Amino acid sequence: MAQKTVLIVYAHQSLGSFNEAVRDVALQELTKQGYKVIVSDLYAMNFRASTTREDIIGDLKNPELFQYGEESMAAWKEGRLSDDIVAEQRKVEEAEFVIFQFPLYWFSVPAIMKGWMDRVLTQGFAFSLQKLYDKGALKDKKAMLSFTTGAMQTMFRPDGINGDINVTLWPLQNGVLHFCGFQVLAPQIFWGPAHCPPTVRAAMLQGWQTRLQGLVAEKPLTFAPSDLFDL
Ligand code: FMN
């Protein structure tokens, strides 16, 4: 049987960060389980975040007005996307499970990871007007957000100062991942590791390892079926 593959899309600048420790627990545990684990270390790769003309090889369909969505879709169809995008799309194709590992920035992913989403999840490759949400092009794959915060958990409760964490995550979990078809597993959230003593941080990592051991059996989050809606 072919080896199963996990892709970790990783965004942290610093060696020795808590995010790095979290990534390494996943790398080691999933490797132990027999997975091939690919890591896209976005800062180390100097991954470009901006959606520009450089992403398209060759002539534009409409040189008068550069429309990134149209041009990138056409380039995907014709094999004219830039090499760095194609390399990431190959990894997504190979993986059955994608983990996004990052520190929460402004209630979202760091810009470099948003750039990965903007550039790699091209129309045609990840979705089309006919292939959205539970019919999305990546519907046979799972994905999850795994991230650290500066905030304490109480701040992200429905009655907390930041509001409900599920509302914060809706654009990423529904608007990006589920939109492309991914079956989205519950997020893994490390609350304020920088404010915790080493024993608590170690317990967080242990909890993550334990969760990873049962990850295959986890049921994805529930979203409203797309058939309920008129497009
Ligand atoms: N923490 C939050 O809880 N919510 C935020 O919206 C948030 N935005 C941030 C934006 C920026 C630009 C930076 C630098 C930090 C932000 N933080 C926020 C704090 C980081 O999430 C926190 O420092 C990080 O998760 C700690 O992980 P690390 O020790 O691996 O770096």
Side-chain angles (χ1 to χ4, degrees):
M1 208 168 71
Q3 194 180 19
K4 296 180 171 196
T5 301
V6 175
L7 170 62
I8 303 178
V9 183
Y10 174 71
H12 201 289
Q13 314 85 340
S14 310
L15 295 175
S17 70
F18 190 74
N19 270 272
E20 186 195 47
V22 174
R23 179 201 68 188
D24 287 346
V25 167
L27 187 55
Q28 281 154 23
E29 175 57 35
L30 294 168
T31 304
K32 199 164 87 187
Q33 289 178 31
Y35 287 93
K36 172 181 172 186
V37 182
I38 305 173
V39 177
S40 283
D41 184 343
L42 300 181
Y43 287 104
M45 293 156 71
N46 205 13
F47 191 80
R48 243 174 357 95
S50 46
T51 50
T52 67
R53 169 73 177 90
E54 285 176 59
D55 291 353
I56 317 297
I57 297 170
D59 294 339
L60 295 178
K61 297 287 170 198
N62 181 1
E64 312 290 310
L65 175 65
F66 179 60
Q67 290 172 299
Y68 187 84
E70 307 299 320
E71 295 290 349
S72 59
M73 179 172 58
W76 172 78
K77 271 191 199 139
E78 296 162 14
R80 296 187 294 105
L81 281 171
S82 65
D83 292 347
D84 60 341
I85 296 177
V86 173
E88 293 308 298
Q89 291 181 342
R90 294 280 165 276
K91 294 177 196 174
V92 173
E93 275 168 352
E94 182 181 342
E96 59 214 61
F97 183 35
V98 182
I99 300 176
F100 293 87
Q101 181 62 53
F102 58 96
L104 193 69
Y105 275 11
W106 294 119
F107 284 36
S108 188
V109 290
I112 200 166
M113 185 174 277
K114 179 60 164 47
W116 187 97
M117 292 169 172
D118 290 348
R119 296 178 64 229
V120 175
L121 301 175
T122 314
Q123 183 165 353
F125 171 73
F127 71 95
S128 70
L129 296 183
Q130 295 73 36
K131 293 183 177 178
L132 297 174
Y133 290 113
D134 45 19
K135 301 183 182 68
L138 305 179
K139 68 181 169 47
D140 297 325
K141 301 176 188 295
K142 291 179 182 170
M144 76 182 289
L145 304 177
S146 172
F147 60 94
T148 58
T149 69
M152 295 292 117
Q153 186 168 11
T154 47
M155 297 164 77
F156 271 110
R157 289 203 176 130
D159 60 352
I161 193 164
N162 293 338
D164 191 337
I165 189 68
N166 293 305
V167 175
T168 301
L169 299 181
W170 180 254
L172 293 169
Q173 295 194 143
N174 186 65
V176 180
L177 301 180
H178 179 49
F179 186 87
C180 296
F182 280 115
Q183 300 162 46
V184 185
L185 297 191
Q188 176 71 24
I189 309 177
F190 300 91
W191 299 104
H195 314 298
C196 297
T199 47
V200 175
R201 285 206 294 272
M204 287 176 173
L205 294 174
Q206 182 57 56
W208 174 224
Q209 187 180 0
T210 305
R211 181 175 176 195
L212 287 163
Q213 285 162 358
L215 212 61
V216 268
E218 280 191 24
K219 288 218 181 338
L221 301 176
T222 305
F223 295 89
S226 62
D227 286 341
L228 291 178
F229 302 92
D230 295 328
L231 277 178

